[in-house]
Each structure stands twice: as structure tokens, then as C-alpha cells.
Amino acid sequence: MTAVTDQDNGNGNGSGSGKADGGASGRGGDGRWDDGLIARRAAAAEADEAGEAAPRASAEDDAEPQVEAYVPSGGPLPPRLDALRELVGLSRARLDRDTLAEAGRVLDEAAARQRLSSRHTVIAVAGATGSGKSTLFNALAGAPISDTGLRRPTTSQPIACSWTDGAAGLLDRLAVPGRLRRRPHPGPVAFDEALQGLVLVDLPDHDSAATDHRDQVDRVLALVDAVIWVVDPEKYADAALHERYLRPLAGHAEVTFVVLNQTDRLPGEAADLVLDDLRRLLDEDGIALGEHGEPGATVMSLSALTGDGVPELREMVGRFVQDRTAATRRLWADVDAAAARLRPVYVAEGRPGLGERAREEFTDRLAEAVGAAAAGQAAEREWRRNAGRACGTPWLRLWRWYENRGLPGSLDRMGQALTPPEEELTARQRVEQAVRIVADDAADGLPGPWAQAVREAAFTGAQGLPEALDELAVKAGAPGASKRGGGTEAGRGAAAGAPLGAPRGGRPAKPPRPKWWPAAVLAQVSMTLLQIFGGLWLVGQIVGVLEPGLVTPALIMLAGVVGGPLVEWSCAAAIRGPARRYGQDAERRLREAAAGCGRARVLDPVAAELVRYREVRERYVTVTEFSTTGR
């Protein structure tokens, strides 16, 4: 007997109490089945035509709203949903839409389910072709509501049976047409208190040859509160069932019933053997079995055709419905599944971050790129050169002038030839290398999208970094020493031995002089004058202008000749410490300038990305923490 026949040709039992019972009996005063609000409106229109008062919806529908929050106030699920919502919001700029699609769907379905009735539990009956799911659906409803027979597929659209009123919103969400919404036959099953609030949905075959049938199964399974999977002795191990449905939904074990149907076809103890093998397969699928009082899937065997085991299943379903936590359990499992899918993009392998050692190494590389050490050495040489000019003998200054001309064989030209320019890294290459290394260090261990975000932040900030290092080096009062072959202007000046604080294109700024330098200069001038005086005295004696007496002028000249180098050597020894400190200070200033520039342009953006990752990681921990500690 088809569902339409049941609706149109229902027997007359209870016709006198149909109006009084209203939604409880599911029968109208004219003996037809009451399918819900649409049927009641049709009955009201007919009553108006007959001059009777239109029957109104039951007092239950008028008095009680259908919108009830199904999550208890203060429970752990709302914080998980809030954290998941914040997680999705913080991740939209870093993760692609497909990655966040499942989490977004869970949030949307959670909001939709919260707006609907909390007094109803929607359970789908799913199974393969010929498994007997429609027969079991009818047995649970106590009426031949869904078509059964040999013709396949028998069920082409979802059919719903509601035990109480107020489920219209839930059925609208499932897109169950009004003509396929039923109520159970009046009788013990219809008035069973444990089943009040149950909405049972018979689905098309999940292995149907019709693609739209399979699409309907997938759509409804994503929306119902629980599922009764019906399997038969022949196809209980079907790979399509386990790989497409049971294994992906392993985390939904608490809202899953697995029923081995058609046990009347198995002889002797074969039913127990098949049931044990079914449990083994479910365990391999990762589905927890609710045995010995532990939470998990309910697994049992029955025969919908003979009724053997159906009362036990109906009793289990009744307890499940009266617990009124199926919607919460289902949504809880959905959040767990969404969090598991997101785990690869949020959970790092180690402790990602940017430690002090990595920061110091980055600063060292920038200092090397800008030539801080060369600048310090150049500053130290310039200090000593100035001291040599001020305190050196005229003859030594003449020799140094000859050397500085860069004639073949000079020391400076020999030093420059030690390292061919083509073998040296340019300043830009050194900066790029430093940025690449620090980006890799910061991204090490991060999930792919966040590692990419860290690298992009570092490389974006590194654009123009060599020029910025040059500018800051000049402002810091030190030439940015860069290797030949592509350095900045200040860097080229330092490589050529430019003095500390050399302005762009101007005269070099001389280092400060110690207070004792004038005395040393006066002493050197005195030694030079003694040499000149003694020399002139000797010349005068030689030409006969002065009286002979070589000892005195020779001693005076010797004092000048020996005293000049002694004064110079004394000054060189005295300036060794200050010159070294001056060079170290120049290197430190340039190093600090390079470090500040690198920190502002590279390290700070990288640190901001790491902070953002820590924020989303904290939200992810909030989403997942209860999944391991329990609800």
C-alpha cells in the first residue's frame, strides 16, 4: 500500500476523536490523515465552504514557539562555536575559501538548527538498495507509510513521519515536500510517550543508480540529528558504504545506529557471526562502539519483516529522543570533524617563532652586508692617519704620500688585489640572503599557509632595504661599508677607505683630536726645527760662514732626527687604544642602524605574522580542547 493510498484511504478509527486529539492522533474530523499545517489549512477551507467554523491549529502550536535554543546556557558548545567563528574570521586573509568552507558550513548549520525546535529529534533511516530500510521505517512508524517492494529504487524522495506538531521548520530545512510529511497511525506507537518529538525520515538508497537520489541522501545526512544505517547480510561490508559514509562520519558515533536487518534469512548462529564481523568492520572504520555503557554507536540485529528486534530498537530510539541532546551531539561531532580538517593548517610541528639567536644572526648578516666591520676599520685607520699627519715627521709624511698615490707595488694596491671583485657578494645579495635565512628560520615548523605569510611579510619588507640601510648609515654618521660590485654609495666610500662620517659627495669629516695632540704637534715641530737648525749650522760651517765646531750642531741635528720618530712612535702608541675604540664605536653605530632598519622592515612584520598565527592557534585550541577532555 503506497503512502498516498494510506493518506487518502485511511480507516475510520478515531474519526470522532481526531479533532480532540489534534496533532496527537494525526487524524482530522473527516477521517483523513493530518499532514501538518498545510492539511489543517485545507480542512479549514472545506469547513468554511460547509458553513462550519474553521478548525484552528492545535493549542500547542499556538502557545509554544518553534524557535528554542537547543544548547543549554553555559555549556561548552557555545564557546567552541564562538571560537570557531573567530578562527574563521581571523583566517580569511591567510587561508583560501575552500579550506574554510566546511567550518563555515558547520557555523551556518549550527545557527540554523538553533533557530528551530529543540523538542524534536530528526533521525534519518539510510541504507542500500534492498536492505529493507523502508520496511524498518514502516515498522518503527507502525504504519505502511513508505513504499516497499521489489521495484528499485522504491524510495525516490525523503519521506518524513512526525510524532508531534511543531516540526515544520525542521522539515522545511530538510526540503521534505508537504505531500510527503506523515503522522503515525493511531495506536500504541503513535501514543508512545518515549517517541514524542521524534521526526523519522526515510531516505532514498545511497547506492541508487540515480544521481539525484544520492545527492539527496548526502544533503539530508548533513542536516539530520542522527542516522540509522540499515545493512543486510549480503552488503554489510560494501566498500561504498564504509568508505563514503561510515568512515568519514566515524566521529559521529554517538548519533549513529547501525542495524543488521533481514536476520530471518540467516540460519542458526549465522546472525551472530555476521553481527560480530560487522562490529569488526566498524572498528576498522574508527567508529567507537557503544558497549558496556561507553559512548558510541549502537549496533544491533533485527528483522523488520518479522518484527524480531524492532521493539528493542524502538525503545533505544525512544530513550535517545527523550534525552534531547541529539542535536547538540551532532553539532559537537560536526565541530570536531571541521577542526580535524583544519588541523594541518593550524598545528605546527614544533615551537615556531623567531628566537634571539636568529635575530642576532640576522643583525650580523645585515652588518656584514652594510660593511660595519669595514667601516670600523676605516674609521680606525683614519684616526691613525690623522695622527700621522699631525705628529709624524715630514719625511715619513712624504713617503706615505708617495704610497697613497697608488703606484705599482704599493701596499694599498696589493691589499686590494687579494680579493677579486667578481668573487665577492654584492650588498644587495647579502641583504637578500639575510632576509631569506631569517624568513626560513621564522617559518620553520609553521603550517604551509602561515609559513608562506611569514615569508611574504619578510620579502615585502625587504624591498628597498639596501637603500634604507645606506640612508640610515649616513644619518648614523658612518659610511656603510659594502663590498665592491653593487654596493650603495656610502658602502663604496667605505670600501675605498672613506673616513667616518663622510657626507654624501662632500669632504670627509675628520675624527676628533685628543687634547694632547697640540703638545705632540709642537714637539714634532720642535724636532723638525732642531734638524733644520742643526743642518743649517753644519752647512754654514762647511761653507766657512760660521766657525768650525761640528759636535754641537751635529748633536742638535741628531736630537731632531732621533726625536722626530720618537715623538711619532710615542703618539702612535698613545693613539692605538683611542683609535680602536673610535673604530669600534663607528662599527657599533652602523650595526645598530642596520639592526634598527632590519627590525622595522623585516623582523617586526614577521613578528606580527607570528602573533597572528598564535592568536588563531589559541582559537583553534579552544575549538578542540573539549574534544579530548570530554564535554
mmCIF file of all heavy atoms in Angstrom, residues 349-391:
data_model
loop_
_atom_site.group_PDB
_atom_site.id
_atom_site.type_symbol
_atom_site.label_atom_id
_atom_site.label_comp_id
_atom_site.label_asym_id
_atom_site.label_seq_id
_atom_site.Cartn_x
_atom_site.Cartn_y
_atom_site.Cartn_z
ATOM 1 N N GLU A 349 54.582 21.770 13.694
ATOM 2 C CA GLU A 349 55.297 20.568 14.079
ATOM 3 C C GLU A 349 56.124 20.775 15.343
ATOM 4 O O GLU A 349 56.327 19.843 16.104
ATOM 5 C CB GLU A 349 56.214 20.127 12.933
ATOM 6 C CG GLU A 349 55.453 19.764 11.658
ATOM 7 C CD GLU A 349 56.384 19.416 10.520
ATOM 8 O OE1 GLU A 349 57.619 19.527 10.734
ATOM 9 O OE2 GLU A 349 55.895 19.036 9.454
ATOM 10 N N GLY A 350 56.618 21.948 15.568
ATOM 11 C CA GLY A 350 57.444 22.205 16.745
ATOM 12 C C GLY A 350 56.972 23.460 17.462
ATOM 13 O O GLY A 350 55.782 23.675 17.658
ATOM 14 N N ARG A 351 57.944 24.296 17.864
ATOM 15 C CA ARG A 351 57.656 25.566 18.517
ATOM 16 C C ARG A 351 58.115 26.689 17.588
ATOM 17 O O ARG A 351 59.243 27.181 17.699
ATOM 18 C CB ARG A 351 58.358 25.660 19.872
ATOM 19 C CG ARG A 351 57.860 24.650 20.891
ATOM 20 C CD ARG A 351 58.640 24.759 22.191
ATOM 21 N NE ARG A 351 58.515 26.063 22.772
ATOM 22 C CZ ARG A 351 57.544 26.437 23.602
ATOM 23 N NH1 ARG A 351 56.600 25.570 23.916
ATOM 24 N NH2 ARG A 351 57.495 27.650 24.104
ATOM 25 N N PRO A 352 57.282 27.077 16.653
ATOM 26 C CA PRO A 352 57.698 28.100 15.685
ATOM 27 C C PRO A 352 57.869 29.461 16.354
ATOM 28 O O PRO A 352 57.224 29.772 17.358
ATOM 29 C CB PRO A 352 56.543 28.112 14.678
ATOM 30 C CG PRO A 352 55.357 27.648 15.464
ATOM 31 C CD PRO A 352 55.896 26.644 16.449
ATOM 32 N N GLY A 353 58.737 30.242 15.794
ATOM 33 C CA GLY A 353 58.969 31.572 16.332
ATOM 34 C C GLY A 353 60.326 32.085 15.870
ATOM 35 O O GLY A 353 61.050 31.432 15.111
ATOM 36 N N LEU A 354 60.659 33.251 16.350
ATOM 37 C CA LEU A 354 61.916 33.891 15.986
ATOM 38 C C LEU A 354 62.683 34.156 17.271
ATOM 39 O O LEU A 354 62.389 35.090 18.017
ATOM 40 C CB LEU A 354 61.643 35.202 15.233
ATOM 41 C CG LEU A 354 62.756 35.729 14.341
ATOM 42 C CD1 LEU A 354 63.144 34.690 13.299
ATOM 43 C CD2 LEU A 354 62.334 37.010 13.674
ATOM 44 N N GLY A 355 63.673 33.301 17.558
ATOM 45 C CA GLY A 355 64.436 33.414 18.791
ATOM 46 C C GLY A 355 65.498 34.496 18.722
ATOM 47 O O GLY A 355 65.769 35.093 17.671
ATOM 48 N N GLU A 356 66.115 34.729 19.876
ATOM 49 C CA GLU A 356 67.147 35.756 19.951
ATOM 50 C C GLU A 356 68.347 35.409 19.078
ATOM 51 O O GLU A 356 68.964 36.290 18.482
ATOM 52 C CB GLU A 356 67.596 35.936 21.404
ATOM 53 C CG GLU A 356 66.582 36.645 22.279
ATOM 54 C CD GLU A 356 66.296 38.049 21.774
ATOM 55 O OE1 GLU A 356 67.244 38.714 21.292
ATOM 56 O OE2 GLU A 356 65.137 38.475 21.842
ATOM 57 N N ARG A 357 68.655 34.133 18.998
ATOM 58 C CA ARG A 357 69.805 33.737 18.181
ATOM 59 C C ARG A 357 69.554 34.068 16.718
ATOM 60 O O ARG A 357 70.446 34.579 16.035
ATOM 61 C CB ARG A 357 70.067 32.244 18.354
ATOM 62 C CG ARG A 357 71.274 31.763 17.562
ATOM 63 C CD ARG A 357 71.565 30.305 17.848
ATOM 64 N NE ARG A 357 72.720 29.836 17.089
ATOM 65 C CZ ARG A 357 73.205 28.609 17.145
ATOM 66 N NH1 ARG A 357 72.633 27.714 17.948
ATOM 67 N NH2 ARG A 357 74.249 28.271 16.421
ATOM 68 N N ALA A 358 68.349 33.776 16.236
ATOM 69 C CA ALA A 358 68.032 34.084 14.836
ATOM 70 C C ALA A 358 68.066 35.588 14.592
ATOM 71 O O ALA A 358 68.530 36.051 13.534
ATOM 72 C CB ALA A 358 66.665 33.519 14.474
ATOM 73 N N ARG A 359 67.572 36.372 15.556
ATOM 74 C CA ARG A 359 67.611 37.827 15.416
ATOM 75 C C ARG A 359 69.049 38.336 15.372
ATOM 76 O O ARG A 359 69.393 39.219 14.579
ATOM 77 C CB ARG A 359 66.854 38.483 16.568
ATOM 78 C CG ARG A 359 65.343 38.221 16.536
ATOM 79 C CD ARG A 359 64.675 38.779 17.786
ATOM 80 N NE ARG A 359 63.249 38.579 17.778
ATOM 81 C CZ ARG A 359 62.371 39.430 17.272
ATOM 82 N NH1 ARG A 359 62.802 40.553 16.748
ATOM 83 N NH2 ARG A 359 61.086 39.170 17.308
ATOM 84 N N GLU A 360 69.893 37.806 16.251
ATOM 85 C CA GLU A 360 71.284 38.250 16.274
ATOM 86 C C GLU A 360 72.005 37.869 14.979
ATOM 87 O O GLU A 360 72.800 38.660 14.441
ATOM 88 C CB GLU A 360 71.992 37.630 17.479
ATOM 89 C CG GLU A 360 71.508 38.181 18.810
ATOM 90 C CD GLU A 360 72.175 37.484 19.987
ATOM 91 O OE1 GLU A 360 72.996 36.566 19.732
ATOM 92 O OE2 GLU A 360 71.884 37.842 21.142
ATOM 93 N N GLU A 361 71.751 36.674 14.488
ATOM 94 C CA GLU A 361 72.376 36.265 13.232
ATOM 95 C C GLU A 361 71.907 37.145 12.074
ATOM 96 O O GLU A 361 72.692 37.484 11.180
ATOM 97 C CB GLU A 361 72.070 34.800 12.950
ATOM 98 C CG GLU A 361 72.756 33.838 13.920
ATOM 99 C CD GLU A 361 72.379 32.394 13.643
ATOM 100 O OE1 GLU A 361 71.471 32.169 12.802
ATOM 101 O OE2 GLU A 361 72.984 31.493 14.261
ATOM 102 N N PHE A 362 70.633 37.524 12.100
ATOM 103 C CA PHE A 362 70.131 38.425 11.064
ATOM 104 C C PHE A 362 70.821 39.779 11.142
ATOM 105 O O PHE A 362 71.223 40.358 10.119
ATOM 106 C CB PHE A 362 68.618 38.584 11.229
ATOM 107 C CG PHE A 362 67.999 39.541 10.256
ATOM 108 C CD1 PHE A 362 67.969 39.267 8.899
ATOM 109 C CD2 PHE A 362 67.443 40.739 10.698
ATOM 110 C CE1 PHE A 362 67.393 40.146 7.999
ATOM 111 C CE2 PHE A 362 66.865 41.624 9.804
ATOM 112 C CZ PHE A 362 66.844 41.328 8.452
ATOM 113 N N THR A 363 70.993 40.294 12.371
ATOM 114 C CA THR A 363 71.697 41.560 12.546
ATOM 115 C C THR A 363 73.139 41.450 12.083
ATOM 116 O O THR A 363 73.679 42.375 11.449
ATOM 117 C CB THR A 363 71.636 41.983 14.019
ATOM 118 O OG1 THR A 363 70.266 42.126 14.418
ATOM 119 C CG2 THR A 363 72.359 43.293 14.240
ATOM 120 N N ASP A 364 73.779 40.316 12.382
ATOM 121 C CA ASP A 364 75.167 40.122 11.949
ATOM 122 C C ASP A 364 75.262 40.130 10.425
ATOM 123 O O ASP A 364 76.200 40.730 9.862
ATOM 124 C CB ASP A 364 75.704 38.799 12.490
ATOM 125 C CG ASP A 364 75.861 38.821 14.006
ATOM 126 O OD1 ASP A 364 75.920 39.931 14.571
ATOM 127 O OD2 ASP A 364 75.913 37.733 14.609
ATOM 128 N N ARG A 365 74.310 39.502 9.768
ATOM 129 C CA ARG A 365 74.354 39.454 8.305
ATOM 130 C C ARG A 365 74.104 40.828 7.696
ATOM 131 O O ARG A 365 74.727 41.189 6.691
ATOM 132 C CB ARG A 365 73.338 38.433 7.787
ATOM 133 C CG ARG A 365 73.686 36.994 8.149
ATOM 134 C CD ARG A 365 72.751 35.999 7.488
ATOM 135 N NE ARG A 365 73.109 34.637 7.839
ATOM 136 C CZ ARG A 365 72.561 33.947 8.826
ATOM 137 N NH1 ARG A 365 71.604 34.497 9.564
ATOM 138 N NH2 ARG A 365 72.949 32.715 9.089
ATOM 139 N N LEU A 366 73.177 41.582 8.294
ATOM 140 C CA LEU A 366 72.958 42.941 7.791
ATOM 141 C C LEU A 366 74.189 43.811 8.027
ATOM 142 O O LEU A 366 74.558 44.629 7.169
ATOM 143 C CB LEU A 366 71.739 43.563 8.471
ATOM 144 C CG LEU A 366 70.367 43.036 8.070
ATOM 145 C CD1 LEU A 366 69.273 43.871 8.719
ATOM 146 C CD2 LEU A 366 70.194 43.039 6.556
ATOM 147 N N ALA A 367 74.811 43.644 9.200
ATOM 148 C CA ALA A 367 76.025 44.416 9.470
ATOM 149 C C ALA A 367 77.124 44.060 8.486
ATOM 150 O O ALA A 367 77.881 44.922 8.018
ATOM 151 C CB ALA A 367 76.485 44.156 10.907
ATOM 152 N N GLU A 368 77.211 42.767 8.133
ATOM 153 C CA GLU A 368 78.199 42.363 7.139
ATOM 154 C C GLU A 368 77.855 42.920 5.764
ATOM 155 O O GLU A 368 78.735 43.341 5.011
ATOM 156 C CB GLU A 368 78.263 40.836 7.091
ATOM 157 C CG GLU A 368 79.304 40.303 6.126
ATOM 158 C CD GLU A 368 79.310 38.785 6.097
ATOM 159 O OE1 GLU A 368 78.477 38.178 6.811
ATOM 160 O OE2 GLU A 368 80.127 38.216 5.353
ATOM 161 N N ALA A 369 76.544 42.926 5.452
ATOM 162 C CA ALA A 369 76.131 43.441 4.154
ATOM 163 C C ALA A 369 76.415 44.928 4.019
ATOM 164 O O ALA A 369 76.816 45.404 2.954
ATOM 165 C CB ALA A 369 74.636 43.168 3.938
ATOM 166 N N VAL A 370 76.195 45.683 5.102
ATOM 167 C CA VAL A 370 76.402 47.127 5.028
ATOM 168 C C VAL A 370 77.861 47.496 5.285
ATOM 169 O O VAL A 370 78.260 48.653 5.131
ATOM 170 C CB VAL A 370 75.471 47.838 6.033
ATOM 171 C CG1 VAL A 370 76.025 47.788 7.441
ATOM 172 C CG2 VAL A 370 75.194 49.268 5.615
ATOM 173 N N GLY A 371 78.663 46.505 5.688
ATOM 174 C CA GLY A 371 80.087 46.750 5.884
ATOM 175 C C GLY A 371 80.417 47.434 7.183
ATOM 176 O O GLY A 371 81.271 48.330 7.219
ATOM 177 N N ALA A 372 79.768 47.044 8.276
ATOM 178 C CA ALA A 372 80.026 47.688 9.564
ATOM 179 C C ALA A 372 81.464 47.460 10.015
ATOM 180 O O ALA A 372 82.131 48.383 10.502
ATOM 181 C CB ALA A 372 79.043 47.162 10.612
ATOM 182 N N ALA A 373 81.966 46.240 9.866
ATOM 183 C CA ALA A 373 83.346 45.964 10.281
ATOM 184 C C ALA A 373 84.337 46.770 9.444
ATOM 185 O O ALA A 373 85.309 47.340 9.971
ATOM 186 C CB ALA A 373 83.623 44.467 10.159
ATOM 187 N N ALA A 374 84.102 46.836 8.144
ATOM 188 C CA ALA A 374 84.992 47.625 7.283
ATOM 189 C C ALA A 374 84.929 49.106 7.638
ATOM 190 O O ALA A 374 85.945 49.811 7.588
ATOM 191 C CB ALA A 374 84.601 47.413 5.825
ATOM 192 N N ALA A 375 83.727 49.565 7.988
ATOM 193 C CA ALA A 375 83.602 50.969 8.382
ATOM 194 C C ALA A 375 84.377 51.249 9.660
ATOM 195 O O ALA A 375 85.030 52.297 9.802
ATOM 196 C CB ALA A 375 82.129 51.323 8.564
ATOM 197 N N GLY A 376 84.327 50.302 10.620
ATOM 198 C CA GLY A 376 85.095 50.480 11.847
ATOM 199 C C GLY A 376 86.581 50.487 11.591
ATOM 200 O O GLY A 376 87.331 51.314 12.146
ATOM 201 N N GLN A 377 87.037 49.587 10.722
ATOM 202 C CA GLN A 377 88.454 49.562 10.382
ATOM 203 C C GLN A 377 88.869 50.836 9.645
ATOM 204 O O GLN A 377 89.948 51.376 9.882
ATOM 205 C CB GLN A 377 88.749 48.336 9.526
ATOM 206 C CG GLN A 377 88.541 47.019 10.255
ATOM 207 C CD GLN A 377 88.644 45.820 9.338
ATOM 208 O OE1 GLN A 377 88.928 45.978 8.136
ATOM 209 N NE2 GLN A 377 88.427 44.631 9.884
ATOM 210 N N ALA A 378 87.980 51.305 8.753
ATOM 211 C CA ALA A 378 88.290 52.542 8.049
ATOM 212 C C ALA A 378 88.362 53.723 9.012
ATOM 213 O O ALA A 378 89.228 54.602 8.873
ATOM 214 C CB ALA A 378 87.239 52.809 6.979
ATOM 215 N N ALA A 379 87.468 53.745 9.991
ATOM 216 C CA ALA A 379 87.497 54.831 10.972
ATOM 217 C C ALA A 379 88.760 54.769 11.811
ATOM 218 O O ALA A 379 89.384 55.810 12.101
ATOM 219 C CB ALA A 379 86.261 54.740 11.867
ATOM 220 N N GLU A 380 89.165 53.551 12.171
ATOM 221 C CA GLU A 380 90.396 53.413 12.956
ATOM 222 C C GLU A 380 91.608 53.853 12.129
ATOM 223 O O GLU A 380 92.511 54.558 12.646
ATOM 224 C CB GLU A 380 90.548 51.954 13.404
ATOM 225 C CG GLU A 380 91.777 51.727 14.269
ATOM 226 C CD GLU A 380 91.859 50.286 14.766
ATOM 227 O OE1 GLU A 380 90.877 49.517 14.555
ATOM 228 O OE2 GLU A 380 92.903 49.911 15.347
ATOM 229 N N ARG A 381 91.638 53.463 10.866
ATOM 230 C CA ARG A 381 92.753 53.890 10.007
ATOM 231 C C ARG A 381 92.758 55.403 9.834
ATOM 232 O O ARG A 381 93.836 56.031 9.810
ATOM 233 C CB ARG A 381 92.643 53.201 8.652
ATOM 234 C CG ARG A 381 92.984 51.728 8.653
ATOM 235 C CD ARG A 381 93.238 51.233 7.234
ATOM 236 N NE ARG A 381 92.092 51.460 6.373
ATOM 237 C CZ ARG A 381 91.101 50.588 6.189
ATOM 238 N NH1 ARG A 381 91.123 49.429 6.829
ATOM 239 N NH2 ARG A 381 90.109 50.865 5.379
ATOM 240 N N GLU A 382 91.569 55.967 9.700
ATOM 241 C CA GLU A 382 91.518 57.423 9.528
ATOM 242 C C GLU A 382 92.029 58.136 10.762
ATOM 243 O O GLU A 382 92.724 59.162 10.651
ATOM 244 C CB GLU A 382 90.079 57.833 9.234
ATOM 245 C CG GLU A 382 89.892 59.318 8.964
ATOM 246 C CD GLU A 382 90.637 59.775 7.716
ATOM 247 O OE1 GLU A 382 91.000 58.918 6.881
ATOM 248 O OE2 GLU A 382 90.866 60.990 7.586
ATOM 249 N N TRP A 383 91.709 57.608 11.940
ATOM 250 C CA TRP A 383 92.226 58.207 13.180
ATOM 251 C C TRP A 383 93.759 58.171 13.179
ATOM 252 O O TRP A 383 94.427 59.157 13.478
ATOM 253 C CB TRP A 383 91.657 57.440 14.374
ATOM 254 C CG TRP A 383 92.054 57.989 15.720
ATOM 255 C CD1 TRP A 383 93.293 57.932 16.286
ATOM 256 C CD2 TRP A 383 91.231 58.688 16.649
ATOM 257 N NE1 TRP A 383 93.298 58.525 17.513
ATOM 258 C CE2 TRP A 383 92.031 59.001 17.764
ATOM 259 C CE3 TRP A 383 89.887 59.066 16.650
ATOM 260 C CZ2 TRP A 383 91.527 59.669 18.886
ATOM 261 C CZ3 TRP A 383 89.419 59.727 17.770
ATOM 262 C CH2 TRP A 383 90.209 60.034 18.862
ATOM 263 N N ARG A 384 94.297 57.012 12.855
ATOM 264 C CA ARG A 384 95.754 56.872 12.854
ATOM 265 C C ARG A 384 96.381 57.729 11.750
ATOM 266 O O ARG A 384 97.467 58.294 11.928
ATOM 267 C CB ARG A 384 96.127 55.405 12.645
ATOM 268 C CG ARG A 384 95.746 54.515 13.823
ATOM 269 C CD ARG A 384 96.260 53.105 13.621
ATOM 270 N NE ARG A 384 95.961 52.267 14.775
ATOM 271 C CZ ARG A 384 96.370 51.012 14.902
ATOM 272 N NH1 ARG A 384 97.089 50.460 13.935
ATOM 273 N NH2 ARG A 384 96.060 50.337 15.984
ATOM 274 N N ARG A 385 95.712 57.812 10.613
ATOM 275 C CA ARG A 385 96.241 58.633 9.526
ATOM 276 C C ARG A 385 96.302 60.099 9.948
ATOM 277 O O ARG A 385 97.294 60.800 9.672
ATOM 278 C CB ARG A 385 95.379 58.473 8.278
ATOM 279 C CG ARG A 385 95.948 59.163 7.046
ATOM 280 C CD ARG A 385 95.056 58.943 5.844
ATOM 281 N NE ARG A 385 94.995 57.532 5.467
ATOM 282 C CZ ARG A 385 93.916 56.779 5.568
ATOM 283 N NH1 ARG A 385 92.794 57.287 6.056
ATOM 284 N NH2 ARG A 385 93.954 55.513 5.207
ATOM 285 N N ASN A 386 95.267 60.572 10.598
ATOM 286 C CA ASN A 386 95.275 61.956 11.075
ATOM 287 C C ASN A 386 96.370 62.169 12.111
ATOM 288 O O ASN A 386 97.024 63.221 12.140
ATOM 289 C CB ASN A 386 93.919 62.314 11.664
ATOM 290 C CG ASN A 386 92.831 62.418 10.611
ATOM 291 O OD1 ASN A 386 93.135 62.571 9.418
ATOM 292 N ND2 ASN A 386 91.581 62.347 11.025
ATOM 293 N N ALA A 387 96.541 61.153 12.969
ATOM 294 C CA ALA A 387 97.619 61.271 13.955
ATOM 295 C C ALA A 387 98.981 61.307 13.268
ATOM 296 O O ALA A 387 99.889 62.043 13.677
ATOM 297 C CB ALA A 387 97.547 60.109 14.937
ATOM 298 N N GLY A 388 99.110 60.484 12.194
ATOM 299 C CA GLY A 388 100.382 60.505 11.468
ATOM 300 C C GLY A 388 100.622 61.835 10.801
ATOM 301 O O GLY A 388 101.757 62.322 10.752
ATOM 302 N N ARG A 389 99.538 62.425 10.265
ATOM 303 C CA ARG A 389 99.720 63.732 9.636
ATOM 304 C C ARG A 389 100.112 64.790 10.657
ATOM 305 O O ARG A 389 100.912 65.688 10.384
ATOM 306 C CB ARG A 389 98.429 64.152 8.952
ATOM 307 C CG ARG A 389 98.035 63.304 7.752
ATOM 308 C CD ARG A 389 96.936 63.981 6.955
ATOM 309 N NE ARG A 389 96.455 63.132 5.875
ATOM 310 C CZ ARG A 389 95.331 62.443 5.924
ATOM 311 N NH1 ARG A 389 94.571 62.511 7.008
ATOM 312 N NH2 ARG A 389 94.972 61.688 4.905
ATOM 313 N N ALA A 390 99.507 64.718 11.844
ATOM 314 C CA ALA A 390 99.759 65.754 12.847
ATOM 315 C C ALA A 390 101.064 65.536 13.582
ATOM 316 O O ALA A 390 101.775 66.501 13.903
ATOM 317 C CB ALA A 390 98.597 65.787 13.844
ATOM 318 N N CYS A 391 101.397 64.295 13.857
ATOM 319 C CA CYS A 391 102.551 64.022 14.724
ATOM 320 C C CYS A 391 103.719 63.373 13.991
ATOM 321 O O CYS A 391 104.770 63.120 14.591
ATOM 322 C CB CYS A 391 102.142 63.119 15.885
ATOM 323 S SG CYS A 391 100.741 63.733 16.847
#
